């Protein structure tokens, strides 16, 4: 089968098939950014900030209520009730993430759901759920700490540095 040597371009035939040529777009990144910004929906910054503040505050109020519940129900001091309170907040976050509720709520509430304990638990649980088909070790275990690993390392290093500073300065009445 011979190829036709007709006109080149969008209507050229090659081997009995029509080839379409696509126009090349030579657009610079700055031009693209201008066009994209023009079509981007306006953000309601003040409303989003207020919503995040209220939701973050309500999560903290929930934590305070749980703390008071442990203090009153189990006759704990505030220091003793702190760890179980954090565990309950993490459990609530993981359950809501597993049910698909936390992510939808987070889209509406914005940064308010990034309160450290609940937001961190959500990010770890989301990664674990997303990669569970890859297995427990290489899927759940590895991918879960891909995002959270940097946060954990930062926390450990910061705690170490603060501990060294406290030891050197003798904060709390103890010296080296």
């Amino acid at each position: 089968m011979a190829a036709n040597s007709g006109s080149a371009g969008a209507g050229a035939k090659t081997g009995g098939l029509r080839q379409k040529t696509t126009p090349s777009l030579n657009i610079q990144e700055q031009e693209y950014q201008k066009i994209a910004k023009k079509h981007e929906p306006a953000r309601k910054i003040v409303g989003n900030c207020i919503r995040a503040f209220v939701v973050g505050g309500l999560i903290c109020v929930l934590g305070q209520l749980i703390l008071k519940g442990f203090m009153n129900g189990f006759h704990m001091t505030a220091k003793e009730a702190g760890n179980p309170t954090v565990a309950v907040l993490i459990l609530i976050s993981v359950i809501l993430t597993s049910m698909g509720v936390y992510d939808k709520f987070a889209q509406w509430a914005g940064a308010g759901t990034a309160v450290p304990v609940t937001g961190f638990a959500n990010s770890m649980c989301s990664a674990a759920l997303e990669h569970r088909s890859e297995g427990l070790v290489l899927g759940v275990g590895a991918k879960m700490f891909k995002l959270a690993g940097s946060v954990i390392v930062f926390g450990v290093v910061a705690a170490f540095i603060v501990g060294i500073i406290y030891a050197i300065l003798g904060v709390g009445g103890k010296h080296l």
Side-chain angles (χ1 to χ4, degrees), residues 18-161:
R18 292 184 79 84
Q19 284 186 334
K20 294 182 181 178
T21 58
T22 56
S24 62
L25 296 175
N26 293 333
I27 187 169
Q28 298 295 325
E29 187 175 341
Q30 292 173 346
E31 294 174 40
Y32 174 78
Q33 293 297 332
K34 286 180 187 176
I35 294 169
K37 194 167 201 122
K38 187 169 63 171
H39 295 287
E40 185 178 288
R43 295 187 182 131
K44 302 169 188 159
I45 295 174
V46 174
N48 289 344
C49 288
I50 291 170
R51 191 176 318 141
F53 178 78
V54 169
V55 169
L58 289 175
I59 292 173
C60 292
V61 167
L62 174 65
Q64 191 66 32
L65 290 173
I66 294 169
L67 181 83
K68 291 292 185 182
F70 278 117
M71 290 172 65
N72 294 334
F74 297 102
H75 307 292
M76 296 178 164
T77 65
K79 188 174 183 178
E80 293 171 336
N83 289 337
T85 300
V86 171
V88 169
L89 285 172
I90 289 171
L91 180 66
I92 291 170
S93 177
V94 168
I95 290 170
L96 292 177
T97 300
S98 298
M99 294 170 42
V101 174
Y102 196 95
D103 292 330
K104 291 176 185 174
F105 180 64
Q107 282 183 334
W108 175 81
T113 56
V115 173
V117 172
T118 57
F120 187 69
N122 173 12
S123 68
M124 299 245 334
C125 183
S126 294
L129 289 173
E130 185 176 337
H131 298 286
R132 69 179 179 255
S133 64
E134 297 174 27
L136 289 177
V137 175
L138 296 177
V140 173
K143 303 298 184 194
M144 185 168 59
F145 287 104
K146 193 177 215 180
L147 171 69
S150 59
V151 176
I152 293 170
V153 169
F154 177 77
V156 170
V157 170
F160 178 76
I161 292 170

Side-chain angles (χ1 to χ4, degrees), residues 4 6-14 16-21:
N4 289 344
S7 62
K13 285 188 173 184
T14 305
L17 299 173
R18 292 184 79 84
Q19 284 186 334
K20 294 182 181 178
T21 58

